[in-house]
Amino acid sequence: MRIENERKLDFDDVLIKPKRSRLSTRAGVELNRKFTTVNSKVTIEGVPIIAANMDTVGTLNMASSLASHNMFTSIHKHYSLEELEAADLSSDYNFATFGLGDWDRMVEFFDKLKDKNINKICLDVANGYTEVFVDFVKQVRAKYPDKIIMAGNVVTPEMTEALILAGADIVKIGIGPGSVCETRIVTGVGYPQVSAVMECADAAHGIGGLICADGGCKTSGDVAKAFAAGADFVMLGGMLAGHKECLSNDDLDKLDGNNNKIEYYGMSSTRAMNKYSGGVAAHRASEGKVSEIEYRGDVNQTVLAILGGIRSACTYVGAAKLKELSKCTTFVIKN
Ligand code: 5GP
């Protein structure tokens, strides 16, 4: 056993220090980013916020609303291929999500949906540290050399590098910070998210890769801190949950004026495992919980508020573009 004594930081531990700025208005701040990815060599362009691949967030309706803001959605993996074939997936902002064990579904997905031209893949596992996951990333890269691959989750530089060397273009960073995540409670494992983002961004950028900060953002200020810490993309679950776009037509019909609580649950929660895996397997423990959110209507208002907050953060430190936010940032540590 050993102990690392250096202090590690979470969103609530830091603030972005204001700096003299020549920017007169937040309206002029450019949030669009354009990257050429290291392994696929394909360009990805847009406002680099991604709706999480959770069945209460990464829905087709969410994808359509976010695409109108040039924002991305990692569409959850529980749609049937028939549902996806019938859907409008023409925007350039969709990631298709697969986990370990989804190889056959993935191959069938890209065969059947080849006309949809989806070129972004999210390979999502709770623990990105296993050799089988690294091998899976390598196999997916070999099969789809031209597709952008985002893979995770990990929280340390050496594993960020390992996934990029295995073929990932974007590495998803975050173990335990999620709002409905119980990994830290159930297993004791995790890493403070701002430090994880800083350290993994440095490692990824050193070899031409990108990172996506995943989990733990509760406010637009947290999203700004994630970008300021070096994230190229930020993935949001809870901040986008509870909106009209998260619900089926049946669920929308059930809403009335008095009882408008919407369920948001972890994809490793008992709730999700009962729904999709026939219960929690004997060797597993639930690592997610269920929370209830007041129904929040259309997601567009929330999106505008988030983007407004990030623009404002940029003006406080003199960053004319989101791209410059990290290099313009000095964090101060709260006591
Ligand atoms: P949020 O934005 O709500 O704080 O975090 C969303 C992220 O939490 C997701 O993108 C995913 O990485 C993570 N997550 C989702 N479901 C679960 C779960 O059941 N357990 C754990 N440990 N993490 C989860």
Side-chain angles (χ1 to χ4, degrees):
M1 193 277 290
R2 57 184 277 268
I3 295 180
E4 287 184 14
N5 282 314
E6 192 191 332
R7 180 163 180 196
K8 302 293 175 186
L9 304 167
D10 240 317
F11 289 116
D12 289 342
D13 296 325
V14 295
L15 289 168
I16 300 169
K17 185 174 168 181
K19 290 204 176 109
R20 218 164 59 194
S21 163
R22 289 208 163 137
L23 300 173
S24 50
T25 155
R26 68 176 80 167
V29 174
E30 173 64 67
L31 296 184
N32 219 60
R33 295 221 50 192
K34 184 175 180 179
F35 305 97
T36 300
T37 52
V38 62
N39 286 309
S40 72
K41 315 286 183 212
V42 172
T43 299
I44 178 167
E45 185 170 7
V47 175
I49 294 177
I50 309 176
N53 46 282
M54 304 169 74
D55 68 345
T56 48
V57 179
T59 62
L60 291 166
N61 287 337
M62 182 66 75
S64 146
S65 287
L66 293 195
S68 68
H69 299 275
N70 303 338
M71 286 162 59
F72 300 85
T73 298
S74 200
I75 294 171
H76 73 75
K77 65 179 198 176
H78 300 291
Y79 285 111
S80 68
L81 289 183
E82 291 68 34
E83 284 172 299
L84 293 170
E85 275 176 310
D88 176 8
L89 293 170
S90 58
S91 96
D92 212 17
Y93 300 102
N94 299 322
F95 285 79
T97 307
F98 306 98
L100 266 177
D102 288 337
W103 178 267
D104 291 345
R105 181 176 180 275
M106 180 176 62
V107 172
E108 195 184 355
F109 176 102
F110 285 114
D111 277 354
K112 284 208 169 142
L113 276 69
K114 56 176 165 299
D115 296 344
K116 309 259 186 194
N117 291 325
I118 296 178
N119 75 341
K120 298 176 191 64
I121 298 176
C122 171
L123 301 179
D124 182 58
V125 292
N127 173 7
Y129 281 79
T130 62
E131 260 175 42
V132 282
F133 184 62
V134 177
D135 289 343
F136 183 57
V137 173
K138 282 185 192 159
Q139 283 163 12
V140 178
R141 170 53 69 210
K143 173 92 179 153
Y144 300 112
D146 305 331
K147 294 197 190 292
I148 293 171
I149 297 177
M150 174 164 70
N153 281 19
V154 298
V155 284
T156 48
E158 76 287 354
M159 211 55 212
T160 302
E161 286 165 358
L163 291 178
I164 293 168
L165 296 175
D169 297 299
I170 308 167
V171 178
K172 211 145 64 78
I173 307 300
I175 293 188
S179 57
V180 284
C181 167
E182 291 196 314
T183 296
R184 291 176 184 178
I185 297 164
V186 174
T187 69
V189 175
Y191 205 97
Q193 184 69 348
V194 169
S195 290
V197 168
M198 282 185 205
E199 294 165 20
C200 296
D202 190 47
H205 296 162
I207 53 172
L210 302 168
I211 66 150
C212 174
D214 175 19
C217 291
K218 297 182 291 297
T219 62
S220 55
D222 291 341
V223 183
K225 288 175 191 176
F227 284 123
D232 304 292
F233 294 84
V234 177
M235 180 170 268
L236 300 179
M239 286 183 70
L240 298 176
H243 292 96
K244 182 183 82 199
E245 288 76 1
C246 307
L247 301 179
S248 65
N249 288 339
D250 282 355
D251 287 338
L252 281 171
D253 287 343
K254 283 184 213 147
L255 294 177
D256 61 36
N258 305 316
N259 184 19
N260 284 340
K261 290 272 191 275
I262 308 299
E263 267 193 353
Y264 172 55
Y265 49 85
M267 295 312 291
S268 304
S269 63
T270 305
R271 175 86 175 76
M273 286 195 266
N274 283 342
K275 195 166 172 188
Y276 297 115
S277 316
V280 183
H283 63 282
R284 291 196 64 164
S286 159
E287 288 183 28
K289 64 181 177 190
V290 182
S291 72
E292 286 201 326
I293 299 176
E294 191 68 34
Y295 176 60
R296 296 197 267 174
D298 200 304
V299 79
N300 288 299
Q301 293 310 312
T302 300
V303 166
L304 292 176
I306 295 171
L307 300 185
I310 300 168
R311 282 198 189 90
S312 192
C314 289
T315 58
Y316 271 108
V317 297
K321 301 173 180 168
L322 179 57
K323 184 181 177 187
E324 295 167 1
L325 176 59
S326 180
K327 80 167 189 277
C328 294
T329 291
T330 303
F331 280 122
V332 285
I333 298 180
K334 299 197 283 180
N335 289 321

